[in-house]
Amino acid sequence: KTRHPKHNTDYQSCRGFDCPFYLDGKDEVPTTEWCWAGSFFWHEEKCYNRSPDKAMLVQVRVGPDLGIGQQIEEDMANHIGLKIIRIHCHEKFDPNNGRIIAR
């Protein structure tokens, strides 16, 4: 059983900071009952509160656009004021990528 059975069933309607699990239990550690977004936001916020100058979100963007989950993570980070570091990878694999990176 879950406290909020109809919450975030599409995995993209929650932004973490508006998650009922987070809002009901900011002081509790997320459990498997929480939606992914509420749990992710809880962890982002803990990192930020511990060390606001050093905390950051690192995202790997594959192709031209962020995925929907990454867009939600970005919304969460912006809500907190967390720095975002983004690494862009091309969609297509090139066998020489390893050699280029190793130089």
Side-chain angles (χ1 to χ4, degrees), residues 2-4 7 19-26 33-35:
T2 178
R3 291 176 281 177
H4 306 283
H7 173 70
C19 179
F21 293 101
Y22 169 78
L23 295 172
D24 288 353
K26 290 181 183 180
E33 181 185 31
W34 287 41
C35 80

Side-chain angles (χ1 to χ4, degrees), residues 39 48 54 56 58 60 64 80 91 95:
S39 177
Y48 183 81
K54 295 180 182 178
M56 66 186 73
V58 178
V60 177
I80 296 171
E91 281 184 81

Side-chain angles (χ1 to χ4, degrees), residues 1-35:
K1 290 183 175 181
T2 178
R3 291 176 281 177
H4 306 283
K6 296 184 182 194
H7 173 70
N8 204 22
T9 55
D10 64 355
Y11 300 101
Q12 59 188 1
S13 58
C14 180
R15 292 293 183 258
F17 50 84
D18 63 354
C19 179
F21 293 101
Y22 169 78
L23 295 172
D24 288 353
K26 290 181 183 180
D27 295 326
E28 68 182 68
V29 175
T31 66
T32 56
E33 181 185 31
W34 287 41
C35 80

Side-chain angles (χ1 to χ4, degrees), residues 59-102:
Q59 289 184 316
V60 177
R61 186 181 83 197
V62 179
D65 301 313
L66 293 174
I68 185 67
Q70 291 175 305
Q71 292 170 29
I72 294 168
E73 293 167 1
E74 181 180 42
D75 287 349
M76 293 179 207
N78 288 330
H79 185 81
I80 296 171
L82 200 60
K83 289 180 240 168
I84 301 171
I85 305 297
R86 191 164 295 131
I87 301 163
H88 178 246
C89 297
H90 295 283
E91 281 184 81
K92 296 189 179 182
F93 174 75
D94 183 332
N96 292 317
N97 282 351
R99 282 179 253 171
I100 293 168
I101 293 169

